[in-house]
Amino acid sequence: EKSVSMPVKMDEVEQGCILYNIDPIVMKYHYEVDYIHSYAQDSPFFEGLAKGELKGSKCTKCGGTFATPRSHCMTCGAETEWMQLPLTGKVHTYTTCYFGGQEFLAETPFTLIMVEWPGVDTLFLSRLIGVAPADVKIGMNIQAKFKRLSQFKPTDVYFVPA
């Protein structure tokens, strides 16, 4: 048998792309997606942020303490348990960021700090608000503040001078 070819037409729609350049081709496309994410074992940390609490982790075997959520100890591998972190600490080090992602464009330049607490073995990365970059000092006393409308994101907490 002989196959018969039928005319085929592909539907085409305008995608709304913008051509910026030809050599090389650079185009802008709109992209949108719903993203489902689970914090799994780190969920209590993000729940804490929504309640105005900072939660770290403590090793059940060697006693190591961590300023960021961990299900297991970085040193001995044993399971950890949640511990409350103080809402006041000190600037361990800092940097001024002159470029940032979309979330930080309105704040640029902004200051990122590493927060230290007595008796906690690791540091916590956050933003310092309300201080001119030239006035930030290592060792300066700081206090945690929380966004009123939690997004369950690390940026729900920030620090200000204490």
Side-chain angles (χ1 to χ4, degrees):
E1 289 181 31
K2 186 176 179 187
S3 91
V4 178
S5 124
M6 308 230 357
V8 176
K9 181 178 179 190
M10 295 288 296
D11 288 334
E12 294 186 56
V13 294
E14 281 205 38
Q15 298 281 330
C17 62
I18 299 170
L19 180 64
Y20 286 125
N21 197 16
I22 293 291
D23 187 20
I25 293 176
V26 177
M27 299 178 76
K28 174 185 170 184
Y29 290 97
H30 175 72
Y31 183 77
E32 189 173 317
V33 64
D34 288 329
Y35 179 70
I36 297 173
H37 178 77
S38 170
Y39 286 122
Q41 75 272 357
D42 293 342
S43 292
F45 173 80
F46 293 94
E47 290 171 23
L49 295 182
K51 296 175 185 175
E53 302 171 348
L54 279 174
K55 292 186 176 186
S57 304
K58 182 173 184 168
C59 179
T60 56
K61 185 176 177 187
C62 74
T65 54
F66 310 102
T68 53
R70 301 188 183 284
S71 61
H72 290 80
C73 179
M74 294 188 321
T75 306
C76 73
E79 287 189 17
T80 61
E81 60 188 11
W82 292 104
M83 66 178 220
Q84 204 69 23
L85 292 170
L87 298 182
T88 57
K90 293 187 181 293
V91 172
H92 179 81
T93 192
Y94 65 93
T95 189
T96 302
C97 300
Y98 293 92
F99 302 95
Q102 174 113 12
E103 186 159 345
F104 302 109
L105 287 178
E107 298 176 24
T108 304
F110 60 95
T111 302
L112 286 179
I113 58 171
M114 296 298 289
V115 180
E116 68 177 60
W117 291 280
V120 179
D121 299 325
T122 64
L123 305 170
F124 185 83
L125 178 67
S126 192
R127 291 171 299 146
L128 181 63
I129 306 291
V131 182
D135 296 332
V136 179
K137 303 286 182 240
I138 290 175
M140 113 188 275
N141 293 318
I142 51 176
Q143 178 175 341
K145 295 286 183 183
F146 301 86
K147 287 186 177 177
R148 189 174 59 82
L149 301 174
S150 175
Q151 299 295 306
F152 297 96
K153 294 166 60 174
T155 51
D156 285 351
V157 63
Y158 57 95
F159 286 79
V160 297

